Amino acid sequence: MRNVESGSGANGLKRQVVESLIPQKKPLFHLCFKFLLGLGLLIMCYTLSSGSLSWKTFPFQGHYNRLLNWNNLSKLKVNLSEIKETTQSPTALPTVAPTGIQYHQAYPRNYHFIMDNPEVCKTKTPFLVLMVPVAPRNVEARDAIRQTWGNRSLVQGQVVITLFMLGLSGDADVQQQEKIQQENLQHHDLIQSNFMDTYLNLTIKTMVIMDWLATRCPTAAYAMKIDSDMFLNIDNLVIMLCTPGMPQVNYLTGMLMWDRPVVRSKDSKWYVSEELYPDPSYPTYTLGMGYVFSNDLPKKYVEISKLIKPFNIEDAYIGMCMKKLGLAPTSPPNPSQFKAYNQRYNRCEYSQIITYILGSAQELINYWTDLKRPEPPC
Ligand SMILES: *[C@@H]1O[C@H](CO)[C@@H](O)[C@H](O)[C@H]1NC(C)=O
Ligand SMILES: *[C@@H]1O[C@H](CO)[C@@H](O)[C@H](O)[C@H]1NC(C)=O
Ligand SMILES: *[C@@H]1O[C@H](CO)[C@@H](O)[C@H](O)[C@H]1NC(C)=O
Ligand SMILES: CC(=O)N[C@H]1CO[C@H](CO)[C@@H](O)[C@@H]1O
């Protein structure tokens, strides 16, 4: 949860969310059809549970299964009878989905990888893996990162890998998907999973990152989830992680957020309903712009996420996973190195920090190029 409106990564996602909020142009008969379908299903359900009609005799079985994506009759009966008990209006049944993500949705093994580059951690054992969630269409941000902090495979003598995490672009654009495949052939740095890449689905994206780390890269020592609109002083990060005494397990650090109230205003981008998250505040968490963790944690997050009702604030969700695991995030050795809002570029300051949020991909290239000049920065 970040109080920033700018940023290439966030913008791309924000655009998709805006699009998904625009009511779809559905003709009236479409809605009528859905209404009738719902009514029909309910009648079918009653009929079936009373045993007077065999499912096999129903001629549209395949059609309805495809339409509703329910392949298992016993599940359908259970779910429908449950809904019958809890809802008053049968018309609300098949069409109305609650906003926000559903109970099971953040469990990453509900999704599968379309691209997973499993060889990257087999050919070398990384010290640090940088995982960058980014909107599929945001190739500009990816290219800027590839030219700057993502272009370092050896930092302070340690192997570092940078990968980008994508979902499916909302419009199911075939051309867009082909471009992404081409891009991966060229760089071998894209991980893609089959969930819809939207702002409200960022918790799924984070959990899929955790699943990839747990299953495709368990030998790495540390990992970082870092947004695509960030400046990262990668040398300072590796220096921090190599500090003697740095914990090697159960370690999560970044900019710590304590006692943050849950946003209940429906107009907010960070709105979470009491139904999804009843407590008035979040457990301690690390701000989503960039958090660093020992690589034993992803597997534990994936496991524990089965027990946690998901909500759409990915960084607070990781805080919730930590709490359920009986763990807490740790302050970084030097907390002032994790900075969020960038007033203006200052070369000396940028040589000492680890993170800063930027306004554009061009800023990243400009500041990086300037910082790398040979003159001493301070
Ligand atoms: C349908 O669901 C039941 C119970 O959930 C399960 O035992 C059965 O194997 C499922 N059948 C198929 C075809 O998935
Ligand atoms: C990464 O840096 C190397 C040299 O430092 C350069 O040749 C290469 O083009 C850079 N990669 C990208 C994607 O910019
Ligand atoms: C999140 O992703 C799932 C799986 O692709 C999709 O069914 C759902 O509509 C998405 N939710 C939002 C709010 O975008
Ligand atoms: C209570 C119950 O069995 N609910 C089921 C409804 O359907 C979903 C998806 O098919 C199952 O995961 C639930 O277990």
Side-chain angles (χ1 to χ4, degrees), residues 239-256:
I239 290 167
M240 181 195 94
L241 289 173
C242 290
T243 311
M246 180 59 53
Q248 286 165 6
V249 292
N250 297 335
Y251 182 70
L252 168 67
T253 195
M255 184 188 263
L256 263 56

PDB file of all heavy atoms in Angstrom, residues 239-256:
ATOM      1  N   ILE A 239      25.681  -5.133  -0.100  1.00  0.00           N
ATOM      2  CA  ILE A 239      26.549  -4.840   1.047  1.00  0.00           C
ATOM      3  C   ILE A 239      25.778  -5.051   2.357  1.00  0.00           C
ATOM      4  O   ILE A 239      26.256  -5.691   3.288  1.00  0.00           O
ATOM      5  CB  ILE A 239      27.109  -3.398   0.963  1.00  0.00           C
ATOM      6  CG1 ILE A 239      28.132  -3.305  -0.185  1.00  0.00           C
ATOM      7  CG2 ILE A 239      27.753  -2.964   2.280  1.00  0.00           C
ATOM      8  CD1 ILE A 239      28.532  -1.888  -0.570  1.00  0.00           C
ATOM      9  N   MET A 240      24.517  -4.565   2.379  1.00  0.00           N
ATOM     10  CA  MET A 240      23.684  -4.756   3.581  1.00  0.00           C
ATOM     11  C   MET A 240      23.504  -6.240   3.886  1.00  0.00           C
ATOM     12  O   MET A 240      23.642  -6.680   5.034  1.00  0.00           O
ATOM     13  CB  MET A 240      22.325  -4.087   3.386  1.00  0.00           C
ATOM     14  CG  MET A 240      21.397  -4.223   4.592  1.00  0.00           C
ATOM     15  SD  MET A 240      19.664  -3.836   4.218  1.00  0.00           S
ATOM     16  CE  MET A 240      19.030  -5.464   3.842  1.00  0.00           C
ATOM     17  N   LEU A 241      23.199  -7.031   2.829  1.00  0.00           N
ATOM     18  CA  LEU A 241      22.918  -8.456   3.048  1.00  0.00           C
ATOM     19  C   LEU A 241      24.165  -9.246   3.425  1.00  0.00           C
ATOM     20  O   LEU A 241      24.071 -10.340   3.976  1.00  0.00           O
ATOM     21  CB  LEU A 241      22.254  -9.059   1.805  1.00  0.00           C
ATOM     22  CG  LEU A 241      20.812  -8.598   1.556  1.00  0.00           C
ATOM     23  CD1 LEU A 241      20.312  -9.111   0.205  1.00  0.00           C
ATOM     24  CD2 LEU A 241      19.875  -9.051   2.668  1.00  0.00           C
ATOM     25  N   CYS A 242      25.334  -8.698   3.099  1.00  0.00           N
ATOM     26  CA  CYS A 242      26.582  -9.390   3.444  1.00  0.00           C
ATOM     27  C   CYS A 242      27.131  -8.932   4.790  1.00  0.00           C
ATOM     28  O   CYS A 242      28.210  -9.381   5.197  1.00  0.00           O
ATOM     29  CB  CYS A 242      27.622  -9.177   2.344  1.00  0.00           C
ATOM     30  SG  CYS A 242      27.208 -10.041   0.828  1.00  0.00           S
ATOM     31  N   THR A 243      26.432  -8.050   5.459  1.00  0.00           N
ATOM     32  CA  THR A 243      26.858  -7.611   6.790  1.00  0.00           C
ATOM     33  C   THR A 243      26.968  -8.833   7.700  1.00  0.00           C
ATOM     34  O   THR A 243      26.055  -9.669   7.721  1.00  0.00           O
ATOM     35  CB  THR A 243      25.804  -6.662   7.416  1.00  0.00           C
ATOM     36  OG1 THR A 243      25.460  -5.678   6.475  1.00  0.00           O
ATOM     37  CG2 THR A 243      26.327  -5.999   8.684  1.00  0.00           C
ATOM     38  N   PRO A 244      28.084  -8.959   8.435  1.00  0.00           N
ATOM     39  CA  PRO A 244      28.191 -10.096   9.351  1.00  0.00           C
ATOM     40  C   PRO A 244      27.025 -10.103  10.342  1.00  0.00           C
ATOM     41  O   PRO A 244      26.603  -9.048  10.816  1.00  0.00           O
ATOM     42  CB  PRO A 244      29.522  -9.846  10.083  1.00  0.00           C
ATOM     43  CG  PRO A 244      30.282  -8.915   9.196  1.00  0.00           C
ATOM     44  CD  PRO A 244      29.267  -8.093   8.470  1.00  0.00           C
ATOM     45  N   GLY A 245      26.497 -11.289  10.575  1.00  0.00           N
ATOM     46  CA  GLY A 245      25.382 -11.411  11.525  1.00  0.00           C
ATOM     47  C   GLY A 245      24.010 -11.243  10.889  1.00  0.00           C
ATOM     48  O   GLY A 245      22.992 -11.330  11.581  1.00  0.00           O
ATOM     49  N   MET A 246      23.971 -10.988   9.581  1.00  0.00           N
ATOM     50  CA  MET A 246      22.682 -10.853   8.897  1.00  0.00           C
ATOM     51  C   MET A 246      21.915 -12.180   8.995  1.00  0.00           C
ATOM     52  O   MET A 246      22.459 -13.238   8.659  1.00  0.00           O
ATOM     53  CB  MET A 246      22.962 -10.503   7.425  1.00  0.00           C
ATOM     54  CG  MET A 246      21.754 -10.325   6.548  1.00  0.00           C
ATOM     55  SD  MET A 246      20.576  -9.051   7.045  1.00  0.00           S
ATOM     56  CE  MET A 246      21.586  -7.589   7.221  1.00  0.00           C
ATOM     57  N   PRO A 247      20.656 -12.161   9.469  1.00  0.00           N
ATOM     58  CA  PRO A 247      19.907 -13.425   9.587  1.00  0.00           C
ATOM     59  C   PRO A 247      19.745 -14.120   8.230  1.00  0.00           C
ATOM     60  O   PRO A 247      19.584 -13.448   7.205  1.00  0.00           O
ATOM     61  CB  PRO A 247      18.543 -12.981  10.126  1.00  0.00           C
ATOM     62  CG  PRO A 247      18.754 -11.629  10.699  1.00  0.00           C
ATOM     63  CD  PRO A 247      19.870 -11.011   9.924  1.00  0.00           C
ATOM     64  N   GLN A 248      19.795 -15.435   8.239  1.00  0.00           N
ATOM     65  CA  GLN A 248      19.684 -16.191   6.991  1.00  0.00           C
ATOM     66  C   GLN A 248      18.358 -16.919   6.844  1.00  0.00           C
ATOM     67  O   GLN A 248      18.060 -17.445   5.777  1.00  0.00           O
ATOM     68  CB  GLN A 248      20.862 -17.160   6.878  1.00  0.00           C
ATOM     69  CG  GLN A 248      22.133 -16.394   6.531  1.00  0.00           C
ATOM     70  CD  GLN A 248      23.398 -17.191   6.741  1.00  0.00           C
ATOM     71  OE1 GLN A 248      23.361 -18.372   7.055  1.00  0.00           O
ATOM     72  NE2 GLN A 248      24.529 -16.526   6.555  1.00  0.00           N
ATOM     73  N   VAL A 249      17.573 -16.938   7.903  1.00  0.00           N
ATOM     74  CA  VAL A 249      16.214 -17.506   7.818  1.00  0.00           C
ATOM     75  C   VAL A 249      15.226 -16.573   8.517  1.00  0.00           C
ATOM     76  O   VAL A 249      15.613 -15.761   9.374  1.00  0.00           O
ATOM     77  CB  VAL A 249      16.107 -18.918   8.453  1.00  0.00           C
ATOM     78  CG1 VAL A 249      16.880 -19.946   7.657  1.00  0.00           C
ATOM     79  CG2 VAL A 249      16.562 -18.898   9.906  1.00  0.00           C
ATOM     80  N   ASN A 250      13.961 -16.716   8.110  1.00  0.00           N
ATOM     81  CA  ASN A 250      12.858 -15.963   8.739  1.00  0.00           C
ATOM     82  C   ASN A 250      13.103 -14.460   8.773  1.00  0.00           C
ATOM     83  O   ASN A 250      12.671 -13.768   9.691  1.00  0.00           O
ATOM     84  CB  ASN A 250      12.602 -16.470  10.168  1.00  0.00           C
ATOM     85  CG  ASN A 250      12.145 -17.925  10.170  1.00  0.00           C
ATOM     86  OD1 ASN A 250      11.593 -18.398   9.177  1.00  0.00           O
ATOM     87  ND2 ASN A 250      12.374 -18.613  11.262  1.00  0.00           N
ATOM     88  N   TYR A 251      13.790 -13.977   7.749  1.00  0.00           N
ATOM     89  CA  TYR A 251      14.167 -12.559   7.731  1.00  0.00           C
ATOM     90  C   TYR A 251      13.396 -11.816   6.653  1.00  0.00           C
ATOM     91  O   TYR A 251      13.446 -12.167   5.478  1.00  0.00           O
ATOM     92  CB  TYR A 251      15.676 -12.455   7.482  1.00  0.00           C
ATOM     93  CG  TYR A 251      16.207 -11.038   7.490  1.00  0.00           C
ATOM     94  CD1 TYR A 251      16.257 -10.309   8.681  1.00  0.00           C
ATOM     95  CD2 TYR A 251      16.681 -10.438   6.329  1.00  0.00           C
ATOM     96  CE1 TYR A 251      16.763  -9.011   8.691  1.00  0.00           C
ATOM     97  CE2 TYR A 251      17.190  -9.152   6.340  1.00  0.00           C
ATOM     98  CZ  TYR A 251      17.229  -8.441   7.526  1.00  0.00           C
ATOM     99  OH  TYR A 251      17.732  -7.158   7.545  1.00  0.00           O
ATOM    100  N   LEU A 252      12.694 -10.783   7.060  1.00  0.00           N
ATOM    101  CA  LEU A 252      11.994  -9.902   6.111  1.00  0.00           C
ATOM    102  C   LEU A 252      12.272  -8.474   6.527  1.00  0.00           C
ATOM    103  O   LEU A 252      12.078  -8.100   7.689  1.00  0.00           O
ATOM    104  CB  LEU A 252      10.481 -10.156   6.148  1.00  0.00           C
ATOM    105  CG  LEU A 252       9.583  -9.130   5.435  1.00  0.00           C
ATOM    106  CD1 LEU A 252       9.788  -9.150   3.916  1.00  0.00           C
ATOM    107  CD2 LEU A 252       8.111  -9.364   5.758  1.00  0.00           C
ATOM    108  N   THR A 253      12.748  -7.670   5.568  1.00  0.00           N
ATOM    109  CA  THR A 253      13.042  -6.282   5.910  1.00  0.00           C
ATOM    110  C   THR A 253      12.664  -5.348   4.769  1.00  0.00           C
ATOM    111  O   THR A 253      12.421  -5.784   3.643  1.00  0.00           O
ATOM    112  CB  THR A 253      14.528  -6.114   6.307  1.00  0.00           C
ATOM    113  OG1 THR A 253      14.681  -4.852   6.970  1.00  0.00           O
ATOM    114  CG2 THR A 253      15.445  -6.161   5.108  1.00  0.00           C
ATOM    115  N   GLY A 254      12.628  -4.061   5.090  1.00  0.00           N
ATOM    116  CA  GLY A 254      12.259  -3.029   4.126  1.00  0.00           C
ATOM    117  C   GLY A 254      11.822  -1.811   4.906  1.00  0.00           C
ATOM    118  O   GLY A 254      12.265  -1.617   6.047  1.00  0.00           O
ATOM    119  N   MET A 255      10.910  -1.009   4.334  1.00  0.00           N
ATOM    120  CA  MET A 255      10.379   0.123   5.100  1.00  0.00           C
ATOM    121  C   MET A 255       9.200  -0.383   5.925  1.00  0.00           C
ATOM    122  O   MET A 255       8.177  -0.775   5.362  1.00  0.00           O
ATOM    123  CB  MET A 255       9.956   1.247   4.178  1.00  0.00           C
ATOM    124  CG  MET A 255       9.488   2.476   4.935  1.00  0.00           C
ATOM    125  SD  MET A 255       8.775   3.702   3.849  1.00  0.00           S
ATOM    126  CE  MET A 255      10.173   4.760   3.603  1.00  0.00           C
ATOM    127  N   LEU A 256       9.365  -0.385   7.239  1.00  0.00           N
ATOM    128  CA  LEU A 256       8.334  -0.995   8.092  1.00  0.00           C
ATOM    129  C   LEU A 256       7.123  -0.078   8.303  1.00  0.00           C
ATOM    130  O   LEU A 256       7.267   1.127   8.466  1.00  0.00           O
ATOM    131  CB  LEU A 256       8.944  -1.372   9.450  1.00  0.00           C
ATOM    132  CG  LEU A 256       9.378  -2.842   9.585  1.00  0.00           C
ATOM    133  CD1 LEU A 256      10.358  -3.242   8.498  1.00  0.00           C
ATOM    134  CD2 LEU A 256       9.974  -3.108  10.958  1.00  0.00           C
TER     135      LEU A 256
END
